[in-house]
Amino acid sequence: MVHAEVYIILNVAVCACVLPLGGKLGGIPAPGKRRLLMAALLSGAFAMLPLAADWLGVIALMGLPASVGLCFHKHGAQAVFRCTVTTLCAGMLMGGAVYCFLAGGMGIWQAIILSMLLSLLLYMLVTLLPTAICEVRQVEIRVGTQCILLPAMLDSGNLLTDPITGLPVLVVPRRAARTLFPYVEDISDIKCLPLGFRLLSVRTAAGSALLPMFRPDECKLYLDGKTCAAELLVAVTGAEYRGVQALVPMAALPKQPLAQ
């Protein structure tokens, strides 16, 4: 029989291993030590609920999204949702490792400790191999109170620059612009464009076109699990682009390596 004190310490330790791994798999920088400790304690407190009453087990399931939200809420709701999924997968991976060790005749404590060490090893591998899992790229764009997080592709063929400011131009799909400007009926209609928009003349495989372009209030790039601010403008693609990725120009990348 496991004592309550041991049970909560075990859950806190497991969460402290799983949360950074889930964030890293989701392309989000690791949380600070204080925030990670608070999230692990919160998850441990939720894990104690079924010990008080069986029906509280349903409420205990909210421990995962609550702890993930506490760790990564500053990156936005979409990032929290993504990290909730990746953290759940990391926890299931860790639970599967424990089950395999137990099936091999190992004791419960040895199995748990070894699976925690394996999760830490996986975190280190993901951190040290930027061309593997951690090469997850997203772009976060904020306009006023509207914010969107998009999957991004580094496009070496995107050489667009703003002729006035000289800044590089990020290209986003039309559906993303609808989220940022929900009050605009048709982003492709010049008459409907809000103040601050300009038109950018581009040449594509289909010929010349005019793309609506605006300057966001804030733009962040997520490169190899790290965040960096980007100074750029955003152009909205035409109807011919049916992808969901934002096309990031090489010129938008930071000139200096990101801090580890």
Side-chain angles (χ1 to χ4, degrees):
M1 185 71 178
V2 180
H3 295 288
E5 295 83 359
V6 177
Y7 181 77
I8 189 171
I9 291 174
L10 180 62
N11 276 279
V12 170
V14 170
C15 291
C17 293
V18 171
L19 284 169
L21 179 58
K24 182 64 69 174
L25 293 174
I28 303 299
K33 296 179 180 179
R34 182 178 179 182
R35 188 170 296 277
L36 176 60
L37 177 60
M38 293 174 58
L41 290 173
L42 177 63
S43 184
F46 270 94
M48 292 292 293
L49 293 179
L51 299 181
D54 292 339
W55 64 271
L56 291 176
V58 178
I59 301 178
L61 297 176
M62 298 301 298
L64 175 64
S67 58
V68 172
L70 182 58
C71 271
F72 306 111
H73 69 91
K74 67 178 183 179
H75 299 289
Q78 296 185 40
V80 170
F81 176 78
R82 185 174 68 256
C83 287
T84 300
V85 176
T86 55
T87 302
L88 176 62
C89 293
M92 294 174 65
L93 180 64
M94 188 172 176
V98 172
Y99 179 81
C100 292
F101 291 140
L102 290 175
M106 190 175 293
I108 179 66
W109 293 111
Q110 293 89 341
I112 293 175
I113 293 174
L114 187 56
S115 64
M116 291 171 61
L117 292 176
L118 286 177
S119 67
L120 291 175
L121 177 61
L122 179 58
Y123 177 86
M124 294 174 61
L125 290 175
V126 171
T127 303
L128 295 175
L129 298 176
T131 58
I133 303 176
C134 64
E135 194 177 352
V136 179
R137 294 188 173 96
Q138 296 93 22
V139 59
E140 181 179 351
I141 303 171
R142 182 179 64 83
V143 177
T145 59
Q146 301 295 326
C147 185
I148 188 170
L149 186 67
L150 294 171
M153 180 178 69
L154 192 59
D155 185 8
S156 59
N158 182 0
L159 304 177
L160 299 176
T161 57
D162 176 30
I164 298 178
T165 63
L167 292 174
V169 177
L170 173 76
V171 180
V172 300
R174 186 179 298 186
R175 66 187 70 180
R178 293 196 188 104
T179 303
L180 291 171
F181 302 95
Y183 51 87
V184 179
E185 295 183 2
D186 186 2
I187 201 72
S188 62
D189 188 351
I190 299 177
K191 298 179 181 179
C192 296
L193 294 179
L195 294 176
F197 267 79
R198 300 203 306 272
L199 295 178
L200 178 66
S201 177
V202 301
R203 183 176 296 276
T204 66
S208 299
L210 292 176
L211 299 183
M213 182 176 65
F214 64 93
R215 185 163 190 169
D217 295 327
E218 184 181 21
C219 183
K220 296 179 181 178
L221 300 179
Y222 293 86
L223 303 174
D224 298 332
K226 302 177 182 66
T227 309
C228 65
E231 287 290 331
L232 45 75
L233 278 81
V234 179
V236 183
T237 63
E240 68 278 359
Y241 180 67
R242 301 184 182 276
V244 298
Q245 292 180 314
L247 306 180
V248 181
M250 296 287 291
L253 299 181
K255 300 298 185 294
Q256 300 295 330
L258 297 180
Q260 296 293 328

